Amino acid sequence: MIALFLGRLTKSHCSHRLSLQGTRHHLINFIPKFEVADSKKRLRLYRTLLKIIVHKEVPDRLARTEPRVTKRRPKAYPRLTKPRQELRKQLQTA
């Protein structure tokens, strides 16, 4: 039933444009209401929450794609392999 309801809500919306942080924010706000509600009111709250989540889409940001890879940036400087004071002396004499 829940999947059917969510399916009807998202038919006209792009699921990849739903806001994760917005969903989290709304869910945190609804939790106290869920705790005190009876089963009938809880179902109404749940449907309201789903409607709010679906209608709060993230705007389409063209050319904003992030690769799903781990990046390792090359370091501009070599590693510290000698004592710092010894390297300072080398820099001062150079």
Side-chain angles (χ1 to χ4, degrees):
M1 181 177 131
I2 294 170
L4 267 171
F5 183 71
L6 187 58
R8 275 186 272 144
L9 281 177
T10 59
K11 264 186 185 175
S12 62
H13 298 25
C14 297
S15 61
H16 68 278
R17 292 188 45 206
L18 296 179
S19 169
L20 177 64
Q21 291 301 326
T23 301
R24 191 178 135 269
H25 174 76
H26 291 302
L27 181 62
I28 288 171
N29 288 337
F30 268 73
I31 286 174
K33 296 172 185 169
F34 279 121
E35 290 175 344
V36 297
D38 61 349
S39 61
K40 189 179 268 190
K41 188 173 181 181
R42 193 174 294 143
L43 183 60
R44 264 190 289 134
L45 283 170
Y46 179 71
R47 288 180 177 168
T48 304
L49 176 63
L50 289 179
K51 286 178 186 176
I52 290 171
I53 289 170
V54 168
H55 291 289
K56 298 281 184 173
E57 291 182 346
V58 176
D60 194 16
R61 300 178 303 173
L62 300 174
R64 289 286 303 257
T65 57
E66 298 296 327
R68 299 286 182 204
V69 295
T70 305
K71 294 182 179 180
R72 294 208 180 256
R73 293 181 290 139
K75 307 295 187 243
Y77 301 102
R79 297 183 72 122
L80 184 66
T81 56
K82 298 179 184 177
R84 197 174 295 274
Q85 290 195 359
E86 186 178 324
L87 290 174
R88 280 189 189 134
K89 286 180 186 176
Q90 283 181 1
L91 283 173
Q92 289 174 354
T93 59

